[in-house]
Amino acid sequence: MKFVRVKTYEEMSTLAADLMAAQILVKPDSVIGLATGSTPVGMYKKLSKYNKAGKIDFAKVKSFNLDEYAGLDGTNEQSYRYFMNDKLFNHINIDMANTHVPNGCAADLALEGEQYDAMIAEAGGIDMQLLGIGFDGHIGFNEPDDHFTAPTHGVVLDESTIDANSRFFEKREDVPTMAISMGMRSIMQAKKILFVANGKGKEDIVNKAFFGPITPEVPASILQLHPDVTVFFSEE
Ligand code: GLP
């Protein structure tokens, strides 16, 4: 694991964008795994800039997002599909047909998960997976549990996650209580992991994830078993 500690959010965003850009430069048809949350927003801005300046080309890139709220379709401004279009896809030359976000409106989330994992496998697996971390140690929406879950699956969100994510909604009651999340198999099978964390209150959970025991109570701790992880941690 490479652990890079930087001072500012800006620095973290630049380094993360540069690493993703390098991936796409060396493999123009890369399959990238993408994440939502406030942390990657700065990185997505940089990637959009690089794309506009002709420095990277997303024409052949395929993307798979980690997760989606259950019951929100892509037209809902709180959905992760909407977020991705708004923060990245609408600003780069990616083919929208090559962008994938799990369908949170699927009647059967387990079946949707199976099909999602099959699509990732068919694309050849993920070359570089971007991850953030929740305050409770979740990656995607893999919440603390007594076991790790392998396939993409439906999840019941923790109260603390609903609290944390309610800042994006008008009222707490509007936050969906369920979601669909890529499971540990597709995440851990990614060839490279690009992990970003910043913000007050993340230091403790990042320490637990990377320097504590590997336990499903801290879902991100499974990344200690991955052979190629780069962490960009901003002190800001
Ligand atoms: C959500 C997402 C996670 C993300 C987390 C952290 O719960 N499902 O993938 O890592 O938020 O968000 P933030 O970057 O806003 O702290």
Side-chain angles (χ1 to χ4, degrees):
M1 176 185 57
K2 212 178 276 168
F3 196 97
V4 185
R5 202 180 165 108
V6 296
K7 283 258 174 294
T8 67
Y9 177 74
E10 181 70 15
E11 262 177 289
M12 183 202 76
S13 302
T14 304
L15 289 173
D18 286 348
L19 192 56
M20 184 66 85
Q23 169 67 39
I24 295 168
L25 211 75
V26 296
K27 186 171 184 253
D29 60 347
S30 285
V31 179
I32 55 176
L34 296 175
T36 54
S38 52
T39 312
V41 170
M43 168 189 176
Y44 289 161
K45 271 198 191 129
K46 303 254 170 206
L47 287 173
S48 306
K49 238 188 180 168
Y50 294 166
N51 185 230
K52 283 221 165 62
K55 290 183 186 160
I56 39 166
D57 183 7
F58 286 88
K60 292 190 189 139
V61 169
K62 287 196 180 109
S63 75
F64 288 89
N65 260 80
L66 284 167
D67 47 13
E68 180 59 282
Y69 286 115
L72 301 192
D73 71 23
T75 61
N76 188 307
E77 291 187 17
Q78 310 302 338
S79 71
Y80 284 165
R81 160 53 79 179
Y82 190 96
F83 175 98
M84 288 309 301
N85 289 351
D86 186 46
K87 303 290 184 218
L88 184 65
F89 301 148
N90 288 343
H91 310 287
I92 58 176
N93 70 330
I94 199 163
D95 179 350
M96 276 290 182
N98 285 339
T99 69
H100 305 88
V101 179
N103 177 10
C105 292
D108 182 340
L109 293 181
L111 182 64
E112 166 66 14
E114 238 174 73
Q115 291 166 347
Y116 200 70
D117 286 334
M119 272 199 294
I120 294 173
E122 200 176 315
I126 294 168
D127 291 303
M128 182 176 277
Q129 174 67 53
L130 171 67
L131 293 174
I133 187 168
F135 289 107
D136 62 359
H138 70 232
I139 47 176
F141 268 137
N142 291 279
E143 295 282 31
D145 206 340
D146 58 6
H147 62 283
F148 291 111
T149 305
T152 298
H153 58 293
V155 286
V156 176
L157 297 177
D158 279 8
E159 289 298 318
S160 67
T161 298
I162 294 174
D163 283 341
N165 290 1
S166 63
R167 68 188 192 277
F168 299 110
F169 291 77
E170 223 169 89
K171 353 186 240 318
R172 191 185 186 279
E173 301 79 72
D174 294 343
V175 187
T177 55
M178 288 193 64
I180 178 167
S181 176
M182 202 187 275
M184 294 308 190
R185 190 182 302 127
S186 290
I187 293 174
M188 290 298 284
Q189 284 180 353
K191 294 182 187 80
K192 300 183 196 80
I193 303 277
L194 165 52
F195 185 100
V196 286
N198 88 300
K200 284 199 180 74
K202 286 277 169 80
E203 184 151 24
D204 186 40
I205 195 65
V206 168
N207 264 324
K208 278 192 183 137
F210 290 104
F211 306 107
I214 297 172
T215 162
E217 285 165 26
V218 182
S221 65
I222 199 171
L223 297 171
Q224 292 180 44
L225 294 175
H226 195 284
D228 191 336
V229 181
T230 304
V231 180
F232 292 116
F233 178 78
S234 120
E235 291 172 3
E236 203 169 57

